[in-house]
Amino acid sequence: MDSLGEKKLDSKKGEYKRIVLVVDDEDVNRQMLGAILESDYEVIYAEDGQDAINQIKAHRETLSLVLLDLLMPELDGYEVLKWMKEGKTINRIPVIVLTSEKSAEVKSLQMGAADFLAKPYDLPEVILARVRHSIELSEDANIIKATENDHLTGLYTREFFFQYGKIFDHHHPELAMDAIVLNFNRFHLINELYGRAFGDTVLVAIADGIRGILEESSGIACRYDADTFYLYTIHMSDYDRLLRKILKVLSGVLKAPEMRIRLGIYPDIYRAASLEERFDRALQACNSLRNKYSGSFAVYDMDMHEREVYSARLLEDFEQALEEKQFKVLYQPKYNITGDRPRLCSAEALISWQHPKFGRVRPDAFIPLFEENGLIQKLDRYVWREAAEQMRKWRINHDIIIPISVNVSRVDIYDPEMPEFLDKIVRENEVNPRDYLLEITESAYTDNSRQIVQVVKDLREAGFRVEMDDFGSGYSSLNMLTALPIDALKLDMAFIKDISVDNKEMRMVELVLEIADFLQVPVVAEGVEVQEQYELLKKAGCDIIQGYYFSRPIPPEEFGRLIIKEKKGE
Ligand code: C2E
Ligand code: MG
Ligand code: MG
C-alpha cells in the first residue's frame, strides 16, 4: 500500500484494542477468558446464543473475533456459527469454538470455525497466541480481498475506504473528522472532447492533489466513481485552502480548472450519523453547487439538514398524494405572435402539488428529488395521461384542438416502454401525436447524447413532436444541434430576464433565433413577463411566447374560459 496518509492513521493502530466477543452461558468461563484477554483486547460478552447474535449485529463492522461456546441452552453455538457463516458481512469474522468434547472439533471446523479451544483451558499464553493468530490470518485475508487500490489513481477503492473508515471511527471517536466529496463537473465532456487518455491524466492529477492534502492533514481517500472522490480527514478549518491546493495541481494539466471542481463538506457536527450518511450529506452539499460554474465548495449546514428532512417527507408522502389526487396538472398557454394579434396556439402541462401540510409545493422542490429516487416516471406518466385526457375534453367541449406539451424527465429517456405508453394514451384519447409535444431539457441531451438522439428519433417516427426545453442552459455545441432531430427550441428563461434594446442579452437571443432559423425550427420564448420583453421578442422574429405576460399556469377549467375567449376572437 502506498503513502496516502494511511501510514499516519496506521501508526495509531498500536493505540487501540481490537474487539473480541466472548460467548459462554457460564459466568465463571466468561470471567476467566475475560481476565486472560482484557490486557490485549477490548472484550465484550454474551450469555447465550441470541445475545451473541445481537452483539455481533451491533458490532458487525468492528468485531475482530468471536470465542463461542458450543453447548448452551436454547440457541446453541452451532446455530450461531451457522447464522454467522450465512451472513455476508459477518462471515469475515473468525470464530474460535470452546468445548470440552473432542468430537465437536471436526464438526465445528467444517462449519467454518477458524480454531478450537478445549476446556479446561490451556495456559493463558496459549490462548492469547491462538486468538492473535486467528485474527491476523483473517485480517490478512480480508485485506487481500479489499485493498485493491483503484488501478488508475492509486487511491483506495470505495469498499476498502468505507471498511477502513469505520474501523478508524471506532477507535477514534474523540477525533473531529470531515467527510468531503469532490466532483468534477461534466467530466464526460473532457473524455468526449479530448479523449480518454487525457481524461485519465486529469483524474490522476486530481488524485495527486488529494495526496498532497492528506500529507498535511491525516486521512484517507478513494475514487468513488469515475469523477467523484471521497476524502475522510481530520477536521480542517480552511476549506478554501483545500480547494486551492487541488486547483493548483490541476492547473498543470487543464485550463481554467476553477470551472471544474466542486467540493461538498460535511464537517464534524453530528458524529452520530453513520459514515455513509455523513458522505451522503457531503454529496448533497456538493450537489447544491450543481449549477454554479466556478470552483467552489459548500458546507452542509442546518438549512440543508432541514431540506433533507423536508425531502424525506415529500418522498414518503408521494404514493398517498398520487392516490388522493393532490397532484394537479396546470396549463400555461403559449401564444403565436407572428401574426397581427397573438393567438393561443398551445399549452404546456405543468405539475403542481397541493400538499395537505405544506400547501403548494413547487415542482423545483420535488422533481429533482423524484428523479433521484425513481418516482418521476410514475408521476410523469400520470401527467402525460391527464394531458391527453384534457385534450380530448377540450375537443369535445369546445370543438377545438389545443396542442399540449408535456415535460419529459431525463430519467424517462432510459425507460424503454415510454414510446409505447405515449402511443397508448394518445390512441385512447384520439389525439393526433403531432399535437402532443414532448419537452426535453437541453442538459439531458448533453448528458447522454447518443441515447437521447436515438430515443428522440423513435418518438418522432411515432409521430410526436419534440421541443428542446431550457435551450441555452446546457452546452450543446452547434455541431450537435445540427445533428439533432427536434421540432422547436424553447429559449431558457434566464435569457429573457434581462433583455433590453441592444444589450448583451438581447444579442444572445438574436443569435439563438438565427440558429433556429438555420435549423428551420420555431423558437418558443418562455418566462416573458412584461410588455417590453414581448415587444423586443416580436421585433426580433420570435414565433411563440409563454409567460406571465399572458398568463400563469392555470387549472383546466380556467383554461376552458380562455379557449372560449379566443374563439370569440377577443
Ligand atoms: P419548465 O419546463 O422550463 O417550465 C417553465 C417554468 O417556468 C414553470 O415553472 C412555469 O410556471 C414558469 N414560468 C412560466 N412563465 C413564467 C414567467 O413569466 N416568469 C417566471 N418567473 N416563471 C414562469 P414550474 O411550474 O415551477 O416548473 C418548473 C420546472 O419543473 C419546469 O420547468 C420543468 O422542468 C419541471 N416540471 C414541471 N412539471 C413537470 C412534469 O410534469 N414532469 C417533469 N418531468 N418535470 C416537470
Ligand atoms: Mg417545460
Ligand atoms: Mg423551460
Side-chain angles (χ1 to χ4, degrees), residues 332 348-351 360 362-364 367 371 376 380 383 407-409 439 469-470 493 526-529 546-549 553:
Q332 187 175 35
E348 175 172 9
L350 291 159
I351 191 79
R360 183 164 173 240
R362 289 186 55 104
D364 293 332
I367 299 278
E371 285 181 334
I376 194 69
D380 275 347
V383 176
N407 288 286
V408 175
S409 159
E439 296 195 4
D469 205 353
D470 313 312
M493 231 180 288
E526 64 179 330
V528 177
E529 295 184 352
Q546 174 185 352
Y548 297 168
Y549 175 65

PDB file of all heavy atoms in Angstrom, residues 332 348-351 360 362-364 367 371 376 380 383 407-409 439 469-470 493 526-529 546-549 553, ligand 1:
ATOM      1  N   GLN A 332     -50.295  26.177 -18.955  1.00  0.00           N
ATOM      2  CA  GLN A 332     -49.894  27.554 -19.243  1.00  0.00           C
ATOM      3  C   GLN A 332     -49.977  27.768 -20.761  1.00  0.00           C
ATOM      4  O   GLN A 332     -49.357  27.027 -21.529  1.00  0.00           O
ATOM      5  CB  GLN A 332     -48.471  27.822 -18.751  1.00  0.00           C
ATOM      6  CG  GLN A 332     -48.112  29.302 -18.890  1.00  0.00           C
ATOM      7  CD  GLN A 332     -46.758  29.633 -18.307  1.00  0.00           C
ATOM      8  OE1 GLN A 332     -45.830  28.813 -18.371  1.00  0.00           O
ATOM      9  NE2 GLN A 332     -46.621  30.829 -17.760  1.00  0.00           N
ATOM     10  N   GLU A 348     -48.572  24.376 -22.156  1.00  0.00           N
ATOM     11  CA  GLU A 348     -47.642  23.451 -21.503  1.00  0.00           C
ATOM     12  C   GLU A 348     -48.297  22.916 -20.242  1.00  0.00           C
ATOM     13  O   GLU A 348     -48.835  23.677 -19.430  1.00  0.00           O
ATOM     14  CB  GLU A 348     -46.326  24.153 -21.131  1.00  0.00           C
ATOM     15  CG  GLU A 348     -45.400  23.221 -20.334  1.00  0.00           C
ATOM     16  CD  GLU A 348     -43.997  23.764 -20.076  1.00  0.00           C
ATOM     17  OE1 GLU A 348     -43.741  24.952 -20.356  1.00  0.00           O
ATOM     18  OE2 GLU A 348     -43.159  22.969 -19.589  1.00  0.00           O
ATOM     19  N   ALA A 349     -48.247  21.592 -20.075  1.00  0.00           N
ATOM     20  CA  ALA A 349     -48.780  20.974 -18.860  1.00  0.00           C
ATOM     21  C   ALA A 349     -47.693  21.023 -17.789  1.00  0.00           C
ATOM     22  O   ALA A 349     -46.578  20.562 -18.013  1.00  0.00           O
ATOM     23  CB  ALA A 349     -49.177  19.532 -19.147  1.00  0.00           C
ATOM     24  N   LEU A 350     -48.049  21.598 -16.650  1.00  0.00           N
ATOM     25  CA  LEU A 350     -47.075  21.703 -15.562  1.00  0.00           C
ATOM     26  C   LEU A 350     -47.680  21.125 -14.287  1.00  0.00           C
ATOM     27  O   LEU A 350     -48.824  21.410 -13.956  1.00  0.00           O
ATOM     28  CB  LEU A 350     -46.680  23.162 -15.335  1.00  0.00           C
ATOM     29  CG  LEU A 350     -45.844  23.797 -16.449  1.00  0.00           C
ATOM     30  CD1 LEU A 350     -45.938  25.314 -16.419  1.00  0.00           C
ATOM     31  CD2 LEU A 350     -44.387  23.345 -16.362  1.00  0.00           C
ATOM     32  N   ILE A 351     -46.903  20.318 -13.611  1.00  0.00           N
ATOM     33  CA  ILE A 351     -47.424  19.671 -12.405  1.00  0.00           C
ATOM     34  C   ILE A 351     -47.399  20.644 -11.240  1.00  0.00           C
ATOM     35  O   ILE A 351     -46.558  21.536 -11.173  1.00  0.00           O
ATOM     36  CB  ILE A 351     -46.582  18.420 -12.087  1.00  0.00           C
ATOM     37  CG1 ILE A 351     -47.228  17.568 -11.004  1.00  0.00           C
ATOM     38  CG2 ILE A 351     -45.191  18.812 -11.657  1.00  0.00           C
ATOM     39  CD1 ILE A 351     -48.325  16.725 -11.496  1.00  0.00           C
ATOM     40  N   ARG A 360     -48.931  24.627  -1.305  1.00  0.00           N
ATOM     41  CA  ARG A 360     -48.472  24.386  -2.668  1.00  0.00           C
ATOM     42  C   ARG A 360     -46.959  24.177  -2.706  1.00  0.00           C
ATOM     43  O   ARG A 360     -46.196  25.018  -2.245  1.00  0.00           O
ATOM     44  CB  ARG A 360     -48.877  25.563  -3.548  1.00  0.00           C
ATOM     45  CG  ARG A 360     -48.480  25.270  -4.940  1.00  0.00           C
ATOM     46  CD  ARG A 360     -49.051  26.061  -6.034  1.00  0.00           C
ATOM     47  NE  ARG A 360     -48.302  25.588  -7.180  1.00  0.00           N
ATOM     48  CZ  ARG A 360     -47.544  26.366  -7.939  1.00  0.00           C
ATOM     49  NH1 ARG A 360     -47.478  27.652  -7.725  1.00  0.00           N
ATOM     50  NH2 ARG A 360     -46.857  25.835  -8.922  1.00  0.00           N
ATOM     51  N   ARG A 362     -43.700  23.686  -5.019  1.00  0.00           N
ATOM     52  CA  ARG A 362     -43.298  23.938  -6.410  1.00  0.00           C
ATOM     53  C   ARG A 362     -42.548  22.750  -7.001  1.00  0.00           C
ATOM     54  O   ARG A 362     -41.828  22.058  -6.293  1.00  0.00           O
ATOM     55  CB  ARG A 362     -42.383  25.159  -6.467  1.00  0.00           C
ATOM     56  CG  ARG A 362     -43.089  26.486  -6.211  1.00  0.00           C
ATOM     57  CD  ARG A 362     -42.095  27.596  -6.445  1.00  0.00           C
ATOM     58  NE  ARG A 362     -41.522  27.453  -7.797  1.00  0.00           N
ATOM     59  CZ  ARG A 362     -41.879  28.210  -8.818  1.00  0.00           C
ATOM     60  NH1 ARG A 362     -42.755  29.155  -8.657  1.00  0.00           N
ATOM     61  NH2 ARG A 362     -41.333  28.024 -10.001  1.00  0.00           N
ATOM     62  N   PRO A 363     -42.685  22.547  -8.317  1.00  0.00           N
ATOM     63  CA  PRO A 363     -42.020  21.403  -8.940  1.00  0.00           C
ATOM     64  C   PRO A 363     -40.507  21.366  -8.677  1.00  0.00           C
ATOM     65  O   PRO A 363     -39.933  20.305  -8.512  1.00  0.00           O
ATOM     66  CB  PRO A 363     -42.284  21.584 -10.425  1.00  0.00           C
ATOM     67  CG  PRO A 363     -43.399  22.528 -10.543  1.00  0.00           C
ATOM     68  CD  PRO A 363     -43.495  23.316  -9.283  1.00  0.00           C
ATOM     69  N   ASP A 364     -39.896  22.532  -8.625  1.00  0.00           N
ATOM     70  CA  ASP A 364     -38.444  22.529  -8.419  1.00  0.00           C
ATOM     71  C   ASP A 364     -38.059  21.863  -7.103  1.00  0.00           C
ATOM     72  O   ASP A 364     -36.937  21.402  -6.949  1.00  0.00           O
ATOM     73  CB  ASP A 364     -37.910  23.968  -8.430  1.00  0.00           C
ATOM     74  CG  ASP A 364     -38.053  24.575  -9.807  1.00  0.00           C
ATOM     75  OD1 ASP A 364     -38.043  23.803 -10.790  1.00  0.00           O
ATOM     76  OD2 ASP A 364     -38.201  25.810  -9.907  1.00  0.00           O
ATOM     77  N   ILE A 367     -39.312  17.682  -8.242  1.00  0.00           N
ATOM     78  CA  ILE A 367     -38.938  16.978  -9.486  1.00  0.00           C
ATOM     79  C   ILE A 367     -37.506  16.403  -9.401  1.00  0.00           C
ATOM     80  O   ILE A 367     -37.312  15.206  -9.634  1.00  0.00           O
ATOM     81  CB  ILE A 367     -39.077  17.892 -10.730  1.00  0.00           C
ATOM     82  CG1 ILE A 367     -40.525  18.356 -10.907  1.00  0.00           C
ATOM     83  CG2 ILE A 367     -38.551  17.208 -11.983  1.00  0.00           C
ATOM     84  CD1 ILE A 367     -41.446  17.402 -11.581  1.00  0.00           C
ATOM     85  N   GLU A 371     -36.576  12.485  -9.403  1.00  0.00           N
ATOM     86  CA  GLU A 371     -35.694  11.937 -10.438  1.00  0.00           C
ATOM     87  C   GLU A 371     -34.622  11.057  -9.792  1.00  0.00           C
ATOM     88  O   GLU A 371     -34.292   9.994 -10.280  1.00  0.00           O
ATOM     89  CB  GLU A 371     -35.025  13.068 -11.236  1.00  0.00           C
ATOM     90  CG  GLU A 371     -35.996  13.721 -12.216  1.00  0.00           C
ATOM     91  CD  GLU A 371     -35.364  14.840 -13.036  1.00  0.00           C
ATOM     92  OE1 GLU A 371     -34.387  15.456 -12.570  1.00  0.00           O
ATOM     93  OE2 GLU A 371     -35.870  15.108 -14.141  1.00  0.00           O
ATOM     94  N   ILE A 376     -40.099   9.599 -10.544  1.00  0.00           N
ATOM     95  CA  ILE A 376     -40.524  10.547 -11.572  1.00  0.00           C
ATOM     96  C   ILE A 376     -41.299   9.870 -12.690  1.00  0.00           C
ATOM     97  O   ILE A 376     -42.250  10.442 -13.236  1.00  0.00           O
ATOM     98  CB  ILE A 376     -39.313  11.342 -12.149  1.00  0.00           C
ATOM     99  CG1 ILE A 376     -39.793  12.537 -12.959  1.00  0.00           C
ATOM    100  CG2 ILE A 376     -38.425  10.484 -13.003  1.00  0.00           C
ATOM    101  CD1 ILE A 376     -40.411  13.620 -12.156  1.00  0.00           C
ATOM    102  N   ASP A 380     -44.678  11.340 -14.074  1.00  0.00           N
ATOM    103  CA  ASP A 380     -44.767  11.831 -15.449  1.00  0.00           C
ATOM    104  C   ASP A 380     -45.857  11.101 -16.224  1.00  0.00           C
ATOM    105  O   ASP A 380     -46.620  11.711 -16.968  1.00  0.00           O
ATOM    106  CB  ASP A 380     -43.405  11.695 -16.156  1.00  0.00           C
ATOM    107  CG  ASP A 380     -42.513  12.899 -15.867  1.00  0.00           C
ATOM    108  OD1 ASP A 380     -43.035  13.907 -15.357  1.00  0.00           O
ATOM    109  OD2 ASP A 380     -41.300  12.838 -16.152  1.00  0.00           O
ATOM    110  N   VAL A 383     -49.071  12.669 -15.393  1.00  0.00           N
ATOM    111  CA  VAL A 383     -49.269  13.949 -16.070  1.00  0.00           C
ATOM    112  C   VAL A 383     -49.570  13.738 -17.561  1.00  0.00           C
ATOM    113  O   VAL A 383     -50.474  14.354 -18.124  1.00  0.00           O
ATOM    114  CB  VAL A 383     -48.026  14.854 -15.911  1.00  0.00           C
ATOM    115  CG1 VAL A 383     -48.186  16.151 -16.693  1.00  0.00           C
ATOM    116  CG2 VAL A 383     -47.766  15.151 -14.442  1.00  0.00           C
ATOM    117  N   ASN A 407     -43.676  17.737 -20.089  1.00  0.00           N
ATOM    118  CA  ASN A 407     -42.246  17.643 -19.793  1.00  0.00           C
ATOM    119  C   ASN A 407     -41.825  16.188 -19.668  1.00  0.00           C
ATOM    120  O   ASN A 407     -42.532  15.371 -19.084  1.00  0.00           O
ATOM    121  CB  ASN A 407     -41.936  18.389 -18.496  1.00  0.00           C
ATOM    122  CG  ASN A 407     -42.038  19.889 -18.683  1.00  0.00           C
ATOM    123  OD1 ASN A 407     -41.168  20.495 -19.301  1.00  0.00           O
ATOM    124  ND2 ASN A 407     -43.120  20.478 -18.208  1.00  0.00           N
ATOM    125  N   VAL A 408     -40.682  15.886 -20.240  1.00  0.00           N
ATOM    126  CA  VAL A 408     -40.135  14.536 -20.177  1.00  0.00           C
ATOM    127  C   VAL A 408     -38.836  14.626 -19.383  1.00  0.00           C
ATOM    128  O   VAL A 408     -37.932  15.368 -19.748  1.00  0.00           O
ATOM    129  CB  VAL A 408     -39.837  13.999 -21.592  1.00  0.00           C
ATOM    130  CG1 VAL A 408     -39.149  12.654 -21.536  1.00  0.00           C
ATOM    131  CG2 VAL A 408     -41.127  13.921 -22.403  1.00  0.00           C
ATOM    132  N   SER A 409     -38.787  13.897 -18.297  1.00  0.00           N
ATOM    133  CA  SER A 409     -37.584  13.938 -17.466  1.00  0.00           C
ATOM    134  C   SER A 409     -36.445  13.185 -18.145  1.00  0.00           C
ATOM    135  O   SER A 409     -36.664  12.255 -18.915  1.00  0.00           O
ATOM    136  CB  SER A 409     -37.878  13.298 -16.111  1.00  0.00           C
ATOM    137  OG  SER A 409     -36.683  12.889 -15.508  1.00  0.00           O
ATOM    138  N   GLU A 439     -41.403  17.959 -24.232  1.00  0.00           N
ATOM    139  CA  GLU A 439     -40.323  18.905 -23.906  1.00  0.00           C
ATOM    140  C   GLU A 439     -39.205  18.149 -23.191  1.00  0.00           C
ATOM    141  O   GLU A 439     -39.421  17.543 -22.150  1.00  0.00           O
ATOM    142  CB  GLU A 439     -40.842  20.023 -22.987  1.00  0.00           C
ATOM    143  CG  GLU A 439     -41.893  20.894 -23.636  1.00  0.00           C
ATOM    144  CD  GLU A 439     -42.146  22.190 -22.875  1.00  0.00           C
ATOM    145  OE1 GLU A 439     -41.435  22.448 -21.871  1.00  0.00           O
ATOM    146  OE2 GLU A 439     -43.060  22.933 -23.269  1.00  0.00           O
ATOM    147  N   ASP A 469     -36.176  21.932 -24.386  1.00  0.00           N
ATOM    148  CA  ASP A 469     -36.529  22.857 -23.306  1.00  0.00           C
ATOM    149  C   ASP A 469     -35.263  23.512 -22.739  1.00  0.00           C
ATOM    150  O   ASP A 469     -34.170  22.954 -22.847  1.00  0.00           O
ATOM    151  CB  ASP A 469     -37.232  22.054 -22.202  1.00  0.00           C
ATOM    152  CG  ASP A 469     -38.153  22.919 -21.351  1.00  0.00           C
ATOM    153  OD1 ASP A 469     -38.151  24.140 -21.525  1.00  0.00           O
ATOM    154  OD2 ASP A 469     -38.867  22.341 -20.504  1.00  0.00           O
ATOM    155  N   ASP A 470     -35.428  24.653 -22.142  1.00  0.00           N
ATOM    156  CA  ASP A 470     -34.341  25.345 -21.438  1.00  0.00           C
ATOM    157  C   ASP A 470     -33.110  25.540 -22.320  1.00  0.00           C
ATOM    158  O   ASP A 470     -31.965  25.457 -21.844  1.00  0.00           O
ATOM    159  CB  ASP A 470     -33.929  24.572 -20.169  1.00  0.00           C
ATOM    160  CG  ASP A 470     -35.135  24.158 -19.344  1.00  0.00           C
ATOM    161  OD1 ASP A 470     -35.988  25.032 -19.111  1.00  0.00           O
ATOM    162  OD2 ASP A 470     -35.232  22.982 -18.959  1.00  0.00           O
ATOM    163  N   MET A 493     -35.337  30.635 -19.802  1.00  0.00           N
ATOM    164  CA  MET A 493     -35.881  31.841 -19.193  1.00  0.00           C
ATOM    165  C   MET A 493     -34.817  32.870 -18.814  1.00  0.00           C
ATOM    166  O   MET A 493     -35.050  34.070 -18.863  1.00  0.00           O
ATOM    167  CB  MET A 493     -36.611  31.429 -17.930  1.00  0.00           C
ATOM    168  CG  MET A 493     -37.980  31.972 -17.850  1.00  0.00           C
ATOM    169  SD  MET A 493     -38.759  31.432 -16.339  1.00  0.00           S
ATOM    170  CE  MET A 493     -39.052  29.733 -16.644  1.00  0.00           C
ATOM    171  N   GLU A 526     -39.916  31.484 -23.220  1.00  0.00           N
ATOM    172  CA  GLU A 526     -40.741  31.346 -22.011  1.00  0.00           C
ATOM    173  C   GLU A 526     -40.247  32.279 -20.918  1.00  0.00           C
ATOM    174  O   GLU A 526     -39.132  32.787 -20.972  1.00  0.00           O
ATOM    175  CB  GLU A 526     -40.789  29.889 -21.529  1.00  0.00           C
ATOM    176  CG  GLU A 526     -39.479  29.297 -21.089  1.00  0.00           C
ATOM    177  CD  GLU A 526     -39.647  27.852 -20.611  1.00  0.00           C
ATOM    178  OE1 GLU A 526     -40.728  27.515 -20.098  1.00  0.00           O
ATOM    179  OE2 GLU A 526     -38.692  27.080 -20.766  1.00  0.00           O
ATOM    180  N   GLY A 527     -41.106  32.534 -19.953  1.00  0.00           N
ATOM    181  CA  GLY A 527     -40.734  33.449 -18.881  1.00  0.00           C
ATOM    182  C   GLY A 527     -40.887  34.905 -19.282  1.00  0.00           C
ATOM    183  O   GLY A 527     -40.248  35.783 -18.721  1.00  0.00           O
ATOM    184  N   VAL A 528     -41.727  35.152 -20.286  1.00  0.00           N
ATOM    185  CA  VAL A 528     -41.947  36.538 -20.710  1.00  0.00           C
ATOM    186  C   VAL A 528     -42.940  37.175 -19.746  1.00  0.00           C
ATOM    187  O   VAL A 528     -44.066  36.709 -19.598  1.00  0.00           O
ATOM    188  CB  VAL A 528     -42.503  36.584 -22.156  1.00  0.00           C
ATOM    189  CG1 VAL A 528     -42.785  38.022 -22.559  1.00  0.00           C
ATOM    190  CG2 VAL A 528     -41.503  35.928 -23.093  1.00  0.00           C
ATOM    191  N   GLU A 529     -42.509  38.225 -19.078  1.00  0.00           N
ATOM    192  CA  GLU A 529     -43.335  38.776 -18.015  1.00  0.00           C
ATOM    193  C   GLU A 529     -43.909  40.155 -18.326  1.00  0.00           C
ATOM    194  O   GLU A 529     -44.952  40.517 -17.817  1.00  0.00           O
ATOM    195  CB  GLU A 529     -42.532  38.839 -16.703  1.00  0.00           C
ATOM    196  CG  GLU A 529     -42.160  37.452 -16.186  1.00  0.00           C
ATOM    197  CD  GLU A 529     -41.447  37.470 -14.845  1.00  0.00           C
ATOM    198  OE1 GLU A 529     -41.096  38.561 -14.364  1.00  0.00           O
ATOM    199  OE2 GLU A 529     -41.249  36.381 -14.293  1.00  0.00           O
ATOM    200  N   GLN A 546     -44.546  32.349 -24.153  1.00  0.00           N
ATOM    201  CA  GLN A 546     -45.205  31.757 -22.987  1.00  0.00           C
ATOM    202  C   GLN A 546     -44.704  32.528 -21.783  1.00  0.00           C
ATOM    203  O   GLN A 546     -43.517  32.800 -21.674  1.00  0.00           O
ATOM    204  CB  GLN A 546     -44.783  30.277 -22.887  1.00  0.00           C
ATOM    205  CG  GLN A 546     -45.253  29.554 -21.656  1.00  0.00           C
ATOM    206  CD  GLN A 546     -44.682  28.125 -21.585  1.00  0.00           C
ATOM    207  OE1 GLN A 546     -44.057  27.640 -22.533  1.00  0.00           O
ATOM    208  NE2 GLN A 546     -44.886  27.470 -20.464  1.00  0.00           N
ATOM    209  N   GLY A 547     -45.583  32.909 -20.888  1.00  0.00           N
ATOM    210  CA  GLY A 547     -45.108  33.622 -19.703  1.00  0.00           C
ATOM    211  C   GLY A 547     -46.214  34.368 -18.995  1.00  0.00           C
ATOM    212  O   GLY A 547     -47.342  34.451 -19.492  1.00  0.00           O
ATOM    213  N   TYR A 548     -45.871  34.907 -17.832  1.00  0.00           N
ATOM    214  CA  TYR A 548     -46.856  35.591 -17.014  1.00  0.00           C
ATOM    215  C   TYR A 548     -47.462  36.788 -17.748  1.00  0.00           C
ATOM    216  O   TYR A 548     -48.543  37.246 -17.402  1.00  0.00           O
ATOM    217  CB  TYR A 548     -46.227  36.078 -15.695  1.00  0.00           C
ATOM    218  CG  TYR A 548     -45.707  34.975 -14.802  1.00  0.00           C
ATOM    219  CD1 TYR A 548     -44.888  35.271 -13.707  1.00  0.00           C
ATOM    220  CD2 TYR A 548     -46.034  33.642 -15.041  1.00  0.00           C
ATOM    221  CE1 TYR A 548     -44.407  34.265 -12.885  1.00  0.00           C
ATOM    222  CE2 TYR A 548     -45.553  32.631 -14.227  1.00  0.00           C
ATOM    223  CZ  TYR A 548     -44.731  32.945 -13.146  1.00  0.00           C
ATOM    224  OH  TYR A 548     -44.255  31.959 -12.338  1.00  0.00           O
ATOM    225  N   TYR A 549     -46.754  37.303 -18.735  1.00  0.00           N
ATOM    226  CA  TYR A 549     -47.286  38.417 -19.512  1.00  0.00           C
ATOM    227  C   TYR A 549     -48.675  38.054 -20.040  1.00  0.00           C
ATOM    228  O   TYR A 549     -49.594  38.878 -20.027  1.00  0.00           O
ATOM    229  CB  TYR A 549     -46.341  38.759 -20.662  1.00  0.00           C
ATOM    230  CG  TYR A 549     -46.878  39.817 -21.596  1.00  0.00           C
ATOM    231  CD1 TYR A 549     -47.094  41.125 -21.154  1.00  0.00           C
ATOM    232  CD2 TYR A 549     -47.187  39.498 -22.922  1.00  0.00           C
ATOM    233  CE1 TYR A 549     -47.601  42.090 -22.019  1.00  0.00           C
ATOM    234  CE2 TYR A 549     -47.690  40.460 -23.785  1.00  0.00           C
ATOM    235  CZ  TYR A 549     -47.898  41.754 -23.321  1.00  0.00           C
ATOM    236  OH  TYR A 549     -48.405  42.704 -24.176  1.00  0.00           O
ATOM    237  N   PRO A 553     -49.548  29.489 -15.184  1.00  0.00           N
ATOM    238  CA  PRO A 553     -50.163  28.164 -15.380  1.00  0.00           C
ATOM    239  C   PRO A 553     -51.503  28.145 -14.626  1.00  0.00           C
ATOM    240  O   PRO A 553     -51.562  28.585 -13.489  1.00  0.00           O
ATOM    241  CB  PRO A 553     -49.158  27.211 -14.728  1.00  0.00           C
ATOM    242  CG  PRO A 553     -47.858  27.969 -14.659  1.00  0.00           C
ATOM    243  CD  PRO A 553     -48.235  29.406 -14.514  1.00  0.00           C
TER     244      PRO A 553
HETATM  245  P1  C2E B   1     -40.039  24.326 -17.444  1.00  0.00           P
HETATM  246  O1  C2E B   1     -40.490  23.117 -18.200  1.00  0.00           O
HETATM  247  O2  C2E B   1     -38.988  25.153 -18.092  1.00  0.00           O
HETATM  248  O3  C2E B   1     -41.352  25.153 -17.165  1.00  0.00           O
HETATM  249  C1  C2E B   1     -41.452  26.526 -17.129  1.00  0.00           C
HETATM  250  C2  C2E B   1     -41.458  27.048 -15.735  1.00  0.00           C
HETATM  251  O4  C2E B   1     -41.464  28.473 -15.777  1.00  0.00           O
HETATM  252  C3  C2E B   1     -42.699  26.697 -14.929  1.00  0.00           C
HETATM  253  O5  C2E B   1     -42.291  26.593 -13.588  1.00  0.00           O
HETATM  254  C4  C2E B   1     -43.563  27.934 -15.121  1.00  0.00           C
HETATM  255  O6  C2E B   1     -44.521  28.096 -14.108  1.00  0.00           O
HETATM  256  C5  C2E B   1     -42.531  29.006 -15.040  1.00  0.00           C
HETATM  257  N1  C2E B   1     -42.947  30.241 -15.707  1.00  0.00           N
HETATM  258  C6  C2E B   1     -43.763  30.388 -16.751  1.00  0.00           C
HETATM  259  N2  C2E B   1     -43.886  31.674 -17.100  1.00  0.00           N
HETATM  260  C7  C2E B   1     -43.088  32.372 -16.272  1.00  0.00           C
HETATM  261  C8  C2E B   1     -42.788  33.779 -16.139  1.00  0.00           C
HETATM  262  O7  C2E B   1     -43.248  34.625 -16.875  1.00  0.00           O
HETATM  263  N3  C2E B   1     -41.914  34.131 -15.167  1.00  0.00           N
HETATM  264  C9  C2E B   1     -41.375  33.212 -14.328  1.00  0.00           C
HETATM  265  N4  C2E B   1     -40.528  33.622 -13.402  1.00  0.00           N
HETATM  266  N5  C2E B   1     -41.638  31.893 -14.419  1.00  0.00           N
HETATM  267  C10 C2E B   1     -42.501  31.474 -15.390  1.00  0.00           C
HETATM  268  P2  C2E B   1     -42.759  25.425 -12.656  1.00  0.00           P
HETATM  269  O8  C2E B   1     -44.196  25.080 -12.911  1.00  0.00           O
HETATM  270  O9  C2E B   1     -42.361  25.790 -11.291  1.00  0.00           O
HETATM  271  O10 C2E B   1     -41.894  24.199 -13.171  1.00  0.00           O
HETATM  272  C11 C2E B   1     -40.517  24.183 -13.008  1.00  0.00           C
HETATM  273  C12 C2E B   1     -39.894  23.070 -13.775  1.00  0.00           C
HETATM  274  O11 C2E B   1     -40.292  21.810 -13.253  1.00  0.00           O
HETATM  275  C13 C2E B   1     -40.293  23.015 -15.249  1.00  0.00           C
HETATM  276  O12 C2E B   1     -39.527  23.908 -15.981  1.00  0.00           O
HETATM  277  C14 C2E B   1     -39.991  21.582 -15.588  1.00  0.00           C
HETATM  278  O13 C2E B   1     -38.626  21.424 -15.848  1.00  0.00           O
HETATM  279  C15 C2E B   1     -40.319  20.886 -14.297  1.00  0.00           C
HETATM  280  N6  C2E B   1     -41.654  20.265 -14.415  1.00  0.00           N
HETATM  281  C16 C2E B   1     -42.873  20.831 -14.256  1.00  0.00           C
HETATM  282  N7  C2E B   1     -43.855  19.927 -14.442  1.00  0.00           N
HETATM  283  C17 C2E B   1     -43.245  18.754 -14.755  1.00  0.00           C
HETATM  284  C18 C2E B   1     -43.715  17.423 -15.052  1.00  0.00           C
HETATM  285  O14 C2E B   1     -44.912  17.115 -15.124  1.00  0.00           O
HETATM  286  N8  C2E B   1     -42.767  16.469 -15.304  1.00  0.00           N
HETATM  287  C19 C2E B   1     -41.433  16.761 -15.260  1.00  0.00           C
HETATM  288  N9  C2E B   1     -40.565  15.762 -15.502  1.00  0.00           N
HETATM  289  N10 C2E B   1     -40.968  17.982 -14.988  1.00  0.00           N
HETATM  290  C20 C2E B   1     -41.858  18.977 -14.738  1.00  0.00           C
END
